[in-house]
Amino acid sequence: MAKFVYSMQNILNIKLNLETQAKSAYGIASAKVREEEEKLEELVKEKRRLEDVYRQASIGKLVVRDLIDCKKAVDFQREEIKVQIVNLRVAQKNLEIARKRLNEAMQERKTHEKLKEHEFEDFLVELADQEKKEIDELVSYRYGQM
């Protein structure tokens, strides 16, 4: 029996490798987004804590220096949050780019797998035709012998 050999198997293998790399890049980008979100949550918690400290400092005995320090700390934390929001947006854009690349790699792989399936189906039809021809030759040889 004939053996099926896909002529573009090396291209399919490359597409599989590209898809694997795209999955890896997507995973890394996804982890980066989660990391940036966690950092933002921590900064927001710290800002709330500093605001509570600022409120407590303004309730009791007023020490101007402590109020100024607390206010500066809260303002600094707000700036850190703004920077972290920018970092999070960058990470989300990178994730979206990685998602698009992964989708493209998956589509290309699926396209080549479909081509392979069609070529295999053509091979099976050709093989069936060849077997039919051999059977016809065998039958006509036997008929000629009688």
Side-chain angles (χ1 to χ4, degrees):
M1 182 167 175
K3 182 179 175 186
F4 174 70
V5 178
Y6 181 52
S7 60
M8 297 191 301
Q9 183 64 42
N10 57 347
I11 294 173
L12 179 59
N13 292 341
I14 290 170
K15 297 299 180 184
L16 287 169
N17 288 339
L18 289 174
E19 182 181 0
T20 302
Q21 290 174 354
K23 284 179 183 177
S24 176
Y26 178 78
I28 291 169
S30 179
K32 182 69 173 170
V33 167
R34 283 191 301 274
E35 178 185 323
E36 296 297 334
E37 287 172 343
E38 289 171 5
K39 285 180 184 179
L40 181 60
E41 284 179 28
E42 291 300 318
L43 289 172
V44 169
K45 286 179 186 177
E46 181 64 16
K47 181 182 145 259
R48 288 185 187 138
R49 187 189 69 75
L50 290 170
E51 287 172 340
D52 289 341
V53 170
Y54 180 67
R55 276 191 224 99
Q56 293 299 322
S58 64
I59 292 174
K61 183 179 170 187
L62 292 177
V63 178
V64 176
R65 188 73 197 145
D66 289 344
L67 288 175
I68 292 172
D69 289 344
C70 288
K71 180 67 173 154
K72 285 182 181 180
V74 170
D75 291 341
F76 177 76
Q77 203 64 24
R78 282 188 185 130
E79 292 301 317
E80 288 291 314
I81 289 172
K82 288 178 185 177
V83 169
Q84 188 58 36
I85 289 172
V86 170
N87 290 343
L88 177 59
R89 287 185 183 148
V90 168
Q92 288 171 336
K93 284 190 178 200
N94 289 339
L95 178 64
E96 187 60 32
I97 290 168
R99 182 187 343 260
K100 286 179 183 176
R101 287 183 181 159
L102 176 58
N103 285 340
E104 289 172 4
M106 289 174 68
Q107 287 177 346
E108 289 177 4
R109 176 195 47 88
K110 287 179 182 179
T111 300
H112 279 276
E113 285 179 346
K114 282 288 185 189
L115 289 173
K116 182 177 181 179
E117 287 176 20
H118 289 301
E119 194 170 311
F120 182 69
E121 289 171 3
D122 292 344
F123 169 76
L124 291 178
V125 168
E126 186 179 309
L127 188 62
D129 288 344
Q130 185 179 0
E131 287 176 0
K132 184 177 177 183
K133 181 180 175 185
E134 288 175 3
I135 290 172
D136 287 345
E137 287 176 1
L138 184 63
V139 168
S140 63
Y141 176 72
R142 285 193 179 162
Y143 181 74
Q145 294 265 330
M146 293 179 155

